[in-house]
């Protein structure tokens, strides 16, 4: 098993947001306290199979709401990961945090515990939208979280903002973006709200609901984010992500470049680069996860060994998410055949549609291609 990235999934939240389809559940304190030893046990069982020559380059606490952990729990996970897998001293160690669960004291403790990058789920600086989304924080807490993170010594702060919210107009989106820029985080992740089946939002805003922004307005919001953030000095380095130079998310960049990642926890996914690549998923409920580990078994649900064709398709649609695009030389090095030889026809069609730029060495999405990325990625599938 080769990997340089470690993902730890914390599947608990204070309250479930109305739009959320992630693997998370409302938390009972006992669940959280008994979960950390299970994560440590999973790590211990896996360590025997890890390649002894590798070292972790990034650790990512994702969720759910990882900021519900206390600093001691976070530290114990980092210390054990270091013992089992080795940790590069310059590693990126990220914690996703919900502004409603942190304060100056806890942020300082997280920083001391080894977290050096904070990803704040702000979503909006407008109380009405935060309430509509069912978030546990308000706009004051969102602003305060960024300022307190700075005071706690964080020099690498990312914030998430959402657009295409019910009844949201362009001026309101502009206000959110401007407030975010004024607070000067190093990184922005910008997501459009999507209505996922089975969530309360899918009943509140059924398909065709007039309260939901239409495609044109969503496209205008995407372009506004691109214009304002790039003018403020952020690089648009991935479809949904912007960073000050030197502050791209190392962990997520590894995902788009198909670097190996070990995922631990309920519903976590791993990717190992053996041959064409292997994807592995953990069981998705806390009950099954507990049962497996208490019985001394790894909580694996299934694994998928990718064929060469699947690996090439994945290489294309993950690589094209990045503004740097896909290098034709690297493709050839990886698969021993020319990218144009395999996908020449699809590439020509996408270039003609104005969705892709192709020069001798590189393929990249145009701005329109980024907007219609799902259509582009689907063209690489059989
Ligand atoms: S905080 Fe995040 S993971 Fe938790 S319910 Fe809300 S959207 Fe889902």
């Amino acid at each position: 098993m080769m990997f340089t990235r470690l993902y730890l999934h914390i599947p608990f939240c204070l309250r479930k947001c109305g739009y959320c389809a992630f693997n998370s559940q409302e938390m009972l304190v006992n669940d959280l306290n008994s979960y950390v030893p299970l994560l440590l046990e999973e790590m211990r069982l896996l360590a025997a199979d890890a390649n002894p020559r590798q070292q972790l380059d990034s650790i990512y606490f994702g969720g759910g709401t990882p900021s519900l952990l206390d600093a001691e729990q976070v530290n114990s996970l980092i210390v054990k990961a270091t013992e089992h897998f080795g940790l590069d001293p310059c590693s990126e160690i990220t914690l996703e945090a919900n502004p409603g669960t942190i304060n100056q004291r806890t942020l300082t403790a997280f920083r001391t515990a080894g977290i050096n990058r904070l990803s704040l789920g702000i979503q909006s600086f407008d109380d009405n939208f935060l309430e509509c989304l069912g978030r546990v924080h308000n706009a004051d807490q969102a602003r305060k979280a960024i300022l307190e993170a700075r005071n706690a010594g964080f020099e690498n702060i990312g914030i998430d903002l959402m657009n295409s919210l019910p009844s949201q107009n362009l001026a309101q989106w502009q206000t959110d973006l401007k407030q975010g820029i004024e607070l000067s985080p190093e990184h922005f992740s910008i997501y459009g709200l999507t209505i996922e089946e089975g969530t309360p939002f899918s009943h509140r805003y059924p398909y065709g609901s007039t309260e939901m922004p239409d495609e044109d307005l969503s496209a205008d919001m995407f372009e506004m984010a691109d214009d304002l953030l790039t003018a403020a000095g952020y690089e648009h380095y991935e479809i949904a992500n912007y960073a000050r130079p030197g502050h791209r998310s190392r962990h997520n960049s590894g995902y788009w470049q198909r670097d190996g990642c070990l995922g631990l926890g309920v519903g976590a996914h791993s990717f190992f680069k053996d041959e064409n690549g292997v994807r592995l998923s953990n069981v998705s409920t806390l009950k099954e996860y507990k049962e497996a580990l208490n019985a001394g078994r790894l909580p694996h649900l299934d694994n998928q060994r990718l064929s060469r064709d699947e690996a090439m398709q994945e290489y294309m649609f993950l690589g094209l998410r990045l503004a740097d695009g896909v290098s034709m030389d690297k493709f050839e090095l990886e698969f021993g055949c020319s990218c144009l030889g395999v996908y020449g026809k699809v590439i020509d069609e996408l270039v003609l549609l104005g969705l892709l730029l192709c020069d001798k060495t590189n393929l990249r999405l145009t701005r329109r291609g980024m907007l219609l990325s799902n259509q582009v990625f689907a063209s690489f599938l059989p």
Side-chain angles (χ1 to χ4, degrees), residues 12-24 63-65 98 123 133-135:
F12 305 105
C13 292
L14 283 183
R15 188 174 73 206
K16 192 83 184 164
C17 304
Y19 61 93
C20 178
F22 295 125
N23 189 333
S24 72
T65 306
N98 183 324
Q123 318 310 353
L133 291 169
R135 302 291 303 188

Side-chain angles (χ1 to χ4, degrees), residues 15-19 98 128-137 201 204:
R15 188 174 73 206
K16 192 83 184 164
C17 304
Y19 61 93
N98 183 324
N128 292 326
F129 288 127
L130 290 171
E131 199 185 323
C132 160
L133 291 169
R135 302 291 303 188
V136 294
H137 67 278
F201 267 35
R204 210 183 306 164

Side-chain angles (χ1 to χ4, degrees), residues 14 35 41 60 99 123 145 156 159 185 191 196 224 283 285 290 298 314 317 340 364 379:
L14 283 183
Y35 185 68
E41 176 61 6
Y60 194 101
Q123 318 310 353
N156 196 354
I159 70 171
Y191 301 105
E196 304 287 346
M224 177 179 272
V283 292
T285 68
K290 264 186 200 164
L298 281 168
E314 196 177 82
F317 57 70
L340 288 178
R364 281 183 291 119
S379 344

Side-chain angles (χ1 to χ4, degrees), residues 315-366:
Y315 189 95
M316 294 307 287
F317 57 70
L318 287 177
L320 285 174
R321 294 194 65 89
L322 293 163
D324 294 341
V326 167
S327 147
M328 309 243 207
D329 287 347
K330 284 191 185 158
F331 182 98
E332 193 155 344
L333 214 60
E334 181 96 13
F335 298 106
C337 56
S338 125
C339 182
L340 288 178
V342 182
Y343 293 117
K345 192 163 167 279
V346 178
I347 290 168
D348 284 347
E349 281 167 12
L350 292 168
V351 169
L352 269 177
L353 289 169
L355 301 174
L356 204 60
L357 291 170
C358 175
D359 60 30
K360 285 197 183 79
T361 56
N362 205 267
L363 286 169
R364 281 183 291 119
L365 292 181
T366 59

Side-chain angles (χ1 to χ4, degrees), residues 26-258:
E26 292 185 9
M27 182 190 76
L28 299 171
V29 174
N30 283 345
D31 282 340
L32 185 65
N33 289 340
S34 60
Y35 185 68
V36 174
L38 294 172
L39 278 176
L40 291 168
E41 176 61 6
E42 190 186 0
M43 205 186 276
R44 189 186 71 77
L45 289 174
L46 275 157
D49 286 339
N51 187 321
R53 282 171 296 127
Q54 73 198 352
Q55 242 194 350
L56 295 174
D57 176 51
S58 75
I59 300 180
Y60 194 101
F61 290 83
T65 306
S67 51
L68 290 170
L69 294 169
D70 63 34
E72 224 172 282
Q73 291 169 319
V74 165
N75 185 252
S76 69
L77 288 160
I78 298 173
V79 167
K80 279 291 167 200
T82 309
E83 275 176 33
H84 288 311
F85 309 120
L87 183 69
D88 186 314
C90 302
S91 297
E92 175 187 275
I93 307 181
T94 304
L95 180 89
E96 285 182 355
N98 183 324
T101 64
I102 46 179
N103 57 41
Q104 187 66 75
R105 186 184 56 75
T106 54
L107 285 167
T108 305
F110 283 137
R111 184 72 192 90
T112 310
I115 300 296
N116 56 24
R117 180 173 185 271
L118 205 64
S119 172
L120 290 166
I122 301 280
Q123 318 310 353
S124 174
F125 293 102
D126 182 318
D127 279 333
N128 292 326
F129 288 127
L130 290 171
E131 199 185 323
C132 160
L133 291 169
R135 302 291 303 188
V136 294
H137 67 278
N138 60 31
D140 278 346
Q141 286 172 303
R143 283 184 280 268
K144 212 164 133 222
I146 301 174
L147 301 175
E148 288 182 340
R150 266 305 170 234
N151 290 338
F154 282 98
E155 291 173 358
N156 196 354
I157 301 172
I159 70 171
D160 292 0
L161 289 179
M162 285 175 86
N163 62 33
S164 303
L165 305 177
S167 306
Q168 187 180 33
N169 61 38
L170 211 50
Q172 288 166 319
W173 174 230
Q174 186 182 46
T175 305
D176 264 352
L177 283 167
K178 284 190 168 166
Q179 291 203 44
I181 291 167
E182 267 166 33
L183 290 157
S184 202
E186 279 67 35
H187 190 281
F188 280 84
S189 296
I190 305 289
Y191 301 105
L193 173 67
T194 49
I195 306 291
E196 304 287 346
E197 229 175 282
T199 60
F201 267 35
S202 65
H203 305 293
R204 210 183 306 164
Y205 306 107
Y207 183 72
S209 164
T210 52
E211 286 169 89
M212 294 308 295
D214 61 20
E215 272 180 25
D216 286 345
L217 181 52
S218 294
D220 289 346
M221 289 181 177
F222 174 90
E223 285 178 356
M224 177 179 272
D226 194 21
D227 290 341
L228 291 184
L229 291 171
T230 48
Y234 293 89
E235 294 174 315
H236 189 179
Y237 74 98
E238 193 270 344
I239 292 175
N241 289 284
Y242 298 78
R244 291 238 187 259
H247 289 90
R248 295 179 180 198
S249 160
R250 210 187 299 169
H251 186 87
N252 290 336
S253 295
Y255 169 71
W256 298 309
Q257 289 159 352
R258 298 183 81 240

